[in-house]
Amino acid sequence: MDIASFDLDGNADAVEFCPYPTLHQLLAAATYTLQEDGDQPIRSGSISLFSATSSGLKLLDRVQTPGIFDIKWNSGVREINVTTNSIAHHPLLAQATSDGFLTLYSLHPIEFSLSEVCKEKVSSSMCLCVDWGSNGSSISVGLSDGFVSTLALREDQLQITQSWEAHEYETWTVLFDACQSQLLYTGSDDCSFSCWDLRQKSSSSMVFRNSKSHKMGVCSIAQCPSDSTMLLTGSYDEFLRVWDVRCISRPVMENSVCLGGGVWRLKYHPLIGGLVLAACMHNGFAIVKIDGENINILETHTKHDSLAYGADWQRAACVDDGNKGGLLVATCSFYDRLLRIWKPYSLE
């Protein structure tokens, strides 16, 4: 059921609900707009902060930025001392941009506004994706030249800790293992899905690489919240694949399903087991249920008229009480600049 929509100020490519208790209604939406201007193209972007409820969308704040490829909230509670203001226990939003910077914003919990905490030039190449480690102080970034960098957040500063050539082409997705923080998964336009051991400080050591299963680039990786041995990958070849990594030297693909469009983003629901939201580029959005060996498409959402890129679940308090009818989903599409929130009919 459609709840509300909003026309953003640029091409929309990422949406992220705030995971912090009491702030689940807050939704960040990012844009990336390319303007051709002779030999120097201009890549501009923005982050828009909304209140998203079953009553609709309300714009709370907007920050103008370089073109954004990815955003991600931290999920833990940290204390950070900033010279101008204490932001202890405030959520942080990481932003990966086309100018090669990683930028962190703090959220003011009363005014519901974003303010820049720090930024770091990661590379002369574009930052394409970002993920937080479970410790709340480690961040990984994938780059357009195939490199991957990890950074450490120390007080109010970002410091690059490692950088290595992980792939031959663009690194589209990075994911820290939720239970083994020394492991980092990466996916690339070179069709490979890899895992790295970050304990090798000088140069990360490859744990495994699968370059045969995906017929096109790997652009999304997700880890099951209730079973850390289960990973999902999404690819331009339109398949969602399920992996078991208990045999760490050689991942085994247990099953797969064709979603009819390049699987750009995958999001497990944080509270409902086996429930996955997929952004399928040319084929809208899909809700998938994974139960053992069975994978079923429960629902598709095709109300967007452009590339389906951004998707996320709201971690609603009512879900903790077993009321799935309160579930909200946020999705966005690129060229039509559209943000939508809706309730899945298959879960009512």
Side-chain angles (χ1 to χ4, degrees), residues 45-182:
S46 66
I47 296 177
S48 299
L49 185 67
F50 293 89
S51 171
T53 68
S54 58
S55 299
L57 285 164
K58 179 182 178 182
L59 180 63
L60 302 173
D61 192 22
R62 176 170 286 162
V63 180
Q64 298 300 321
T65 69
I68 299 173
F69 283 99
D70 198 14
I71 54 175
K72 190 69 63 65
W73 294 101
N74 65 337
S75 58
V77 177
R78 290 182 42 81
E79 276 193 26
I80 302 172
N81 295 320
V82 180
T83 55
T84 57
N85 183 32
S86 173
I87 58 168
H89 309 299
H90 289 196
L92 296 176
L93 183 66
Q95 164 191 287
T97 48
S98 58
D99 59 354
F101 275 88
L102 173 68
T103 305
L104 300 185
Y105 296 92
S106 66
L107 172 66
H108 194 289
I110 298 176
E111 297 177 358
F112 296 139
S113 60
L114 296 170
S115 59
E116 184 178 310
V117 176
C118 56
K119 63 190 302 185
E120 178 68 21
K121 180 73 170 180
V122 179
S123 172
S124 58
S125 298
M126 295 185 289
C127 294
L128 301 181
C129 52
V130 62
D131 191 43
W132 289 87
S134 58
N135 61 7
S137 60
S138 299
I139 306 173
S140 59
V141 177
L143 301 168
S144 60
D145 59 1
F147 274 70
V148 170
S149 294
T150 59
L151 299 92
L153 177 60
R154 299 188 175 100
E155 295 186 347
D156 62 341
Q157 298 294 323
L158 284 167
Q159 298 178 4
I160 297 175
T161 54
Q162 296 185 63
S163 186
W164 71 98
E165 188 174 6
H167 295 280
E168 185 177 357
Y169 302 119
E170 291 92 338
T171 301
W172 288 121
T173 182
V174 290
L175 180 74
F176 280 103
D177 189 285
C179 297
Q180 301 182 76
S181 59
Q182 77 276 12

Side-chain angles (χ1 to χ4, degrees), residues 9 103 142 163 190 269 311:
D9 62 335
T103 305
S163 186
D190 63 9
H269 194 282

Side-chain angles (χ1 to χ4, degrees), residues 23-324:
L23 298 175
H24 293 160
Q25 80 279 11
L26 297 183
L27 172 68
T31 67
Y32 168 91
T33 303
L34 175 63
Q35 298 173 325
E36 300 289 351
D37 186 15
D39 296 331
Q40 296 295 327
I42 300 173
R43 296 179 172 90
S44 60
S46 66
I47 296 177
S48 299
L49 185 67
F50 293 89
S51 171
T53 68
S54 58
S55 299
L57 285 164
K58 179 182 178 182
L59 180 63
L60 302 173
D61 192 22
R62 176 170 286 162
V63 180
Q64 298 300 321
T65 69
I68 299 173
F69 283 99
D70 198 14
I71 54 175
K72 190 69 63 65
W73 294 101
N74 65 337
S75 58
V77 177
R78 290 182 42 81
E79 276 193 26
I80 302 172
N81 295 320
V82 180
T83 55
T84 57
N85 183 32
S86 173
I87 58 168
H89 309 299
H90 289 196
L92 296 176
L93 183 66
Q95 164 191 287
T97 48
S98 58
D99 59 354
F101 275 88
L102 173 68
T103 305
L104 300 185
Y105 296 92
S106 66
L107 172 66
H108 194 289
I110 298 176
E111 297 177 358
F112 296 139
S113 60
L114 296 170
S115 59
E116 184 178 310
V117 176
C118 56
K119 63 190 302 185
E120 178 68 21
K121 180 73 170 180
V122 179
S123 172
S124 58
S125 298
M126 295 185 289
C127 294
L128 301 181
C129 52
V130 62
D131 191 43
W132 289 87
S134 58
N135 61 7
S137 60
S138 299
I139 306 173
S140 59
V141 177
L143 301 168
S144 60
D145 59 1
F147 274 70
V148 170
S149 294
T150 59
L151 299 92
L153 177 60
R154 299 188 175 100
E155 295 186 347
D156 62 341
Q157 298 294 323
L158 284 167
Q159 298 178 4
I160 297 175
T161 54
Q162 296 185 63
S163 186
W164 71 98
E165 188 174 6
H167 295 280
E168 185 177 357
Y169 302 119
E170 291 92 338
T171 301
W172 288 121
T173 182
V174 290
L175 180 74
F176 280 103
D177 189 285
C179 297
Q180 301 182 76
S181 59
Q182 77 276 12
L183 297 182
L184 181 71
Y185 305 101
T186 62
S188 168
D189 218 45
D190 63 9
C191 306
S192 67
F193 162 48
S194 303
C195 179
W196 308 86
D197 190 333
L198 303 179
R199 288 174 294 190
Q200 303 292 328
K201 295 300 182 183
S202 58
S203 178
S204 287
S205 174
M206 185 187 298
V207 178
F208 68 74
R209 169 167 288 173
N210 182 292
S211 301
K212 298 180 179 180
S213 297
H214 304 90
K215 307 307 179 186
M216 300 178 71
V218 180
C219 37
S220 55
I221 303 173
Q223 186 173 31
C224 179
S226 60
D227 181 0
S228 61
T229 66
M230 181 183 291
L231 293 178
L232 306 180
T233 58
S235 171
Y236 286 127
D237 66 12
E238 303 187 353
F239 277 86
L240 180 158
R241 291 176 171 86
V242 183
W243 299 77
D244 184 338
V245 295
R246 281 173 290 191
C247 180
I248 198 67
S249 63
R250 186 179 179 184
V252 179
M253 187 178 63
E254 297 287 350
N255 213 334
S256 62
V257 62
C258 182
L259 295 181
V263 186
W264 179 255
R265 200 172 298 272
L266 292 167
K267 292 289 185 72
Y268 268 103
H269 194 282
L271 300 173
I272 302 176
L275 199 62
V276 178
L277 176 64
C280 304
M281 296 183 68
H282 297 283
N283 200 39
F285 300 88
I287 294 176
V288 179
K289 179 68 174 180
I290 301 174
D291 185 8
E293 297 293 323
N294 299 315
I295 306 177
N296 296 305
I297 300 174
L298 300 183
E299 181 175 347
T300 58
H301 184 82
T302 57
K303 299 294 182 67
H304 292 262
D305 295 324
S306 183
L307 289 171
Y309 274 150
D312 200 15
W313 300 99
Q314 184 182 54
R315 189 185 175 106
C318 61
V319 177
D320 293 316
D321 299 327
N323 179 12
K324 297 180 182 180

